[in-house]
Every structure is written in C-alpha cells, then in structure tokens.
Amino acid sequence: MPKPGELTFVAPRGAKPPRHLADLSPAERKEAVAELGEQPFRAKQLSNHYFGRMSNDPASWTDIPAASREKLTDGLLPDLMSVVRHVSCDDDATRKTLWKLFDGTLVESVLMRYPDRVTMCISSQAGCGMNCPFCATGQAGLTRNLSTAEIVEQIAAGMRALKSGEIPGGEARLSNVVFMGMGEPLANYKRVLSSIRRLTDPAPDGFGLSQRGITVSTVGLVPAMYRFADEGLSCRLALSLHAPDDELRDELVPVNTRWKVAEVLDAAWNYAEKSGRRISIEYALIKDINDQAWRADLLGRLIKNRRVHVNLIPLNPTPGSKWTASRPEDEREFVRRLQSHGVPTTVRDTRGQEIDGACGQLAAAG
Ligand code: SAH
C-alpha cells in the first residue's frame, strides 16, 4: 500500500484536476466537443454512453467512429482516479474504496448493499477544514476541494460495479447517495451542487437518480444552508448537531463559534419548509460528553413538533482519541427521552466499522 510520500507522480501544488465530461453541463459538453473538432451531436452520444449506459469503455461505443472515440476520450474522459485498494466486510455487503487522485491525493468512498437498497457514501473534499475533534478526517485539515467530476466518478464507479455484477448479490442499481465521506459538502458548494445535477438530471444528461435519495450532510454553514434551500431540490439535508447547547457544541463542532445552535436550527427548518423534506439531525453519542439525559431533554424540547428525525451514531473512536461510545443503558435512555418528546429517533447501524469505513475514519489510515 503506497504511503503519500511514496507516490511516484505528484502534480504541482495547486494544479487543477483535468477537465472531464462530468464537470460540464449539457450545453458546455456541446461546446467542448466542438472545440475538439467533433460534431456537436457527439456530445449527446457521449453522454448517452457515460451517463445513460454507464459505460466508460470506448470500444463499446459503436455509433461513434473509432477516430472520434479516441479524440473524445482523450479530451473529455481522462482517468481522474485509480483504485489503491478495495476493502470489504459484512460478508462483502460493504465495500470501501481508497482512491488516488491525479495529484496523489487520497480519498475514499463506501458502498453499502442492503436487501432493499444500495447506498454510497462519498467524499466532497480531500480532508476537511471543520476540525471537529472526534472526527478522523478533521484532524488532518483540508487538502483541497474535489472537482465535480471527481465527486461524480466515485458514484459512477460504484454504479458500474453494481451493473457488472462485480458486487456480490447480483446486478443492482444504486438508490441512495450520502455526502458523508470526507469533507464538508457545503464548503465546496458549487461543485457539490453540479455533482447533484449530474447525478439527478434524467439520462442521458445525467444518471437519473432520485433527488430524494440524496443526502447532504453539513456541520451547519448557515448562509450555505439558506442558499441550498433556494435551489429547489428535494434532497435530504442532514445536520451534524452533536450537542443541543452552545457551550458543548462550540467544542464538538468548532464552526458553532460562528453560527450558534439556534441559528443553525432555524436554517434547517427553512430547508425543511422549502424542500418538503424532514431534516435529519446527526448526533454522535460520546460517553459522558454529550449523552446525558438532560441533554436529550434539551434536544427534545428544541426540535419537537418540527419536521425532523434524529439519527444517533454510536461514536466510532478515532485512533488516539480519549472519547468512546456511550454505555448501552445511556444510549437507550437518550432514545427514550427523545421519543418521549415525540421525536422520531433511530440509532445508526455501524456498518464498515471494522474496515475503518465508518464515519470520520475515511482515508485516515492511508
Ligand atoms: N462534514 C459533514 C459530512 C461528513 S461526516 C458533516 O459533518 O456533516 C458525516 C457524519 O459523521 C457527521 O455527522 C459527522 O459528525 C459524523 N462523524 C464524524 N466522525 C465520527 C465518529 N468518529 N463517530 C461517529 N460519527 C462521526
């Protein structure tokens, strides 16, 4: 397994990922194809192969002459990332992939297969600048934003693997995408938004996934949450709250020193109203830190009667961390108190924990 220092090729600092079909809107694709000296209608053909048929194999594009295929591939389908390794667990129903990007940067995605759905957890940035002390990604800081196509390609690769039957359990379709891998999606707003368009635009412009199956998870960047609400999407918004009081949240989610609990919840309710979707509140239960019954009551009072659902995540301890997951009895009491306020509450399953694929662990081990 290569360590970052051992990589043979490292692009100059600040170099941009090469342009890729998935970076471009349908109109921009036509222009790009014309610039390559090809007829503009080839843009639609290319989109049909990449998005509609999920094919990145030019040999199968029989409606395009071989010489044009080569030009289009060179100009618009550069290799953006290569697999460093796949690691599987849960009887191969969970597969984590470590990717190496063009400049040697490492990011990860996780594919989780359930009986009734398939979910991919993807990265929106290499590293993260939000600095939450319980999150492994936060410890290393932000390396850079991913390009739209680098985000889309994580999903495209997963879809191709499902379609080809490479993932055990037979051919399947991707149903859900969660922006819960590395990075803060709303801090890479433009590219995350374009990636959502590529994923949800009907084929052949995009992959035709349902907006309802896409979840964007945020630490609570309030202005970006309002902006996101105005996009007219029906994606789900998850808010990483982790504490109902400013004193503790300032520590657990440092961006709280900028936007307080009350402001962040207001922005969330605004999103719920505009999108018609329930907000998902993420709350990592940390033993003796944020799991007290009084905090459950405080949280219950803050969010009851709202369009909301609470997702409790048993803390996945990061290497060297002094924190650990709550005792089972404290977790049960926390759930009970929230439910007594009428707040729908579930405890997240901890898929992928043994392959460091659980939240906040991605790519930390390199
Ligand atoms: N930056 C975004 C999305 C990435 S993390 C956000 O913070 O929402 C996805 C979720 O995993 C967040 O709720 C995050 O707080 C949580 N998480 C991170 N590290 C974790 C850990 N060690 N144990 C449990 N949950 C963790």
Side-chain angles (χ1 to χ4, degrees):
M1 180 183 64
K3 300 222 162 46
E6 294 168 2
L7 294 170
T8 47
F9 168 72
V10 177
R13 237 181 117 75
K16 277 194 178 168
R19 181 185 66 172
H20 185 281
L21 186 75
D23 287 314
L24 307 177
S25 67
E28 290 166 338
R29 289 172 213 166
K30 273 196 196 150
E31 274 171 38
V33 165
E35 273 168 33
L36 294 172
E38 291 291 322
Q39 301 273 14
F41 72 86
R42 298 268 179 237
K44 193 113 194 165
Q45 289 178 314
L46 194 59
S47 297
N48 190 41
H49 291 302
Y50 180 82
F51 291 104
R53 296 178 52 241
M54 291 170 224
S55 160
N56 59 350
D57 173 20
S60 74
W61 305 346
T62 49
D63 55 347
I64 306 179
S68 300
R69 277 182 228 165
E70 199 177 316
K71 246 199 265 174
L72 293 169
T73 312
D74 289 349
L76 284 168
L77 288 181
D79 281 333
L80 291 178
M81 46 224 275
S82 55
V83 174
V84 176
R85 64 194 157 103
H86 296 294
V87 193
S88 300
C89 66
D90 304 319
D91 286 335
D92 291 343
T94 302
R95 180 171 93 160
K96 178 177 80 165
T97 305
L98 179 65
W99 300 101
K100 187 171 78 178
L101 306 182
F102 87 105
D103 56 357
T105 304
L106 300 176
V107 293
E108 292 195 355
S109 60
V110 185
L111 195 152
M112 291 160 280
R113 186 160 190 173
Y114 300 87
D116 58 336
R117 69 200 144 95
V118 184
T119 301
M120 274 198 84
C121 177
I122 55 160
S123 299
S124 57
Q125 299 181 310
C128 184
M130 298 298 129
N131 211 18
C132 303
F134 57 89
C135 172
T137 308
Q139 306 322 298
L142 177 67
T143 303
R144 68 169 171 88
N145 282 325
L146 300 192
S147 68
T148 299
E150 284 172 330
I151 299 171
V152 172
E153 261 292 294
Q154 296 169 57
I155 296 144
M159 292 175 98
R160 290 191 290 260
L162 286 163
K163 190 176 180 217
S164 71
E166 188 185 321
I167 306 291
E171 198 181 314
R173 284 178 154 275
L174 183 67
S175 42
N176 298 80
V177 171
V178 297
F179 283 86
M180 292 189 181
M182 297 171 82
E184 165 52 42
L186 295 188
N188 187 13
Y189 191 93
K190 258 178 50 190
R191 297 173 195 90
V192 164
L193 231 282
S194 321
S195 73
I196 293 174
R197 300 278 178 216
R198 299 297 109 76
L199 297 180
T200 61
D201 278 352
D205 287 345
F207 284 118
L209 296 176
S210 160
Q211 289 181 7
R212 301 182 67 82
I214 295 183
T215 300
V216 173
S217 180
T218 181
V219 287
L221 305 183
V222 166
M225 289 167 76
Y226 281 103
R227 187 174 167 197
F228 192 51
D230 286 335
E231 303 285 354
L233 298 167
S234 56
C235 298
R236 188 187 288 283
L237 183 68
L239 171 63
S240 298
L241 197 66
H242 303 312
D245 53 304
D246 286 320
E247 196 187 341
L248 180 58
R249 194 165 191 268
D250 281 352
E251 188 187 342
L252 295 183
V253 186
V255 78
N256 195 71
T257 55
R258 180 76 176 76
W259 293 290
K260 297 296 176 192
V261 170
E263 290 172 272
V264 105
L265 286 176
D266 277 347
W269 309 143
N270 174 66
Y271 184 83
E273 194 182 319
K274 297 259 167 76
S275 64
R277 301 298 308 274
R278 281 196 304 180
I279 298 296
S280 180
I281 302 257
E282 309 288 296
Y283 198 109
L285 281 174
I286 314 176
K287 184 175 147 191
D288 297 332
I289 300 291
N290 65 352
D291 63 352
Q292 304 82 355
W294 71 266
R295 280 204 162 90
D297 282 330
L298 179 56
L299 177 60
R301 284 198 298 277
L302 282 178
I303 65 176
K304 71 178 181 190
N305 301 326
R306 297 288 187 167
R307 218 181 281 193
V308 76
H309 168 268
V310 174
N311 203 356
L312 298 172
I313 317 169
L315 183 82
N316 186 23
T318 56
S321 163
K322 53 183 188 287
W323 289 332
T324 179
S326 299
R327 299 171 199 92
E329 61 270 28
D330 293 338
E331 180 183 297
R332 276 197 301 273
E333 182 61 9
F334 206 92
V335 173
R336 201 189 63 73
R337 297 257 176 160
L338 283 174
Q339 287 174 342
S340 75
H341 290 276
V343 175
T345 305
T346 47
V347 179
R348 156 116 40 103
D349 80 301
T350 48
R351 276 240 185 157
Q353 208 158 52
E354 61 271 44
I355 53 171
D356 290 345
C359 39
Q361 299 271 292
L362 298 181

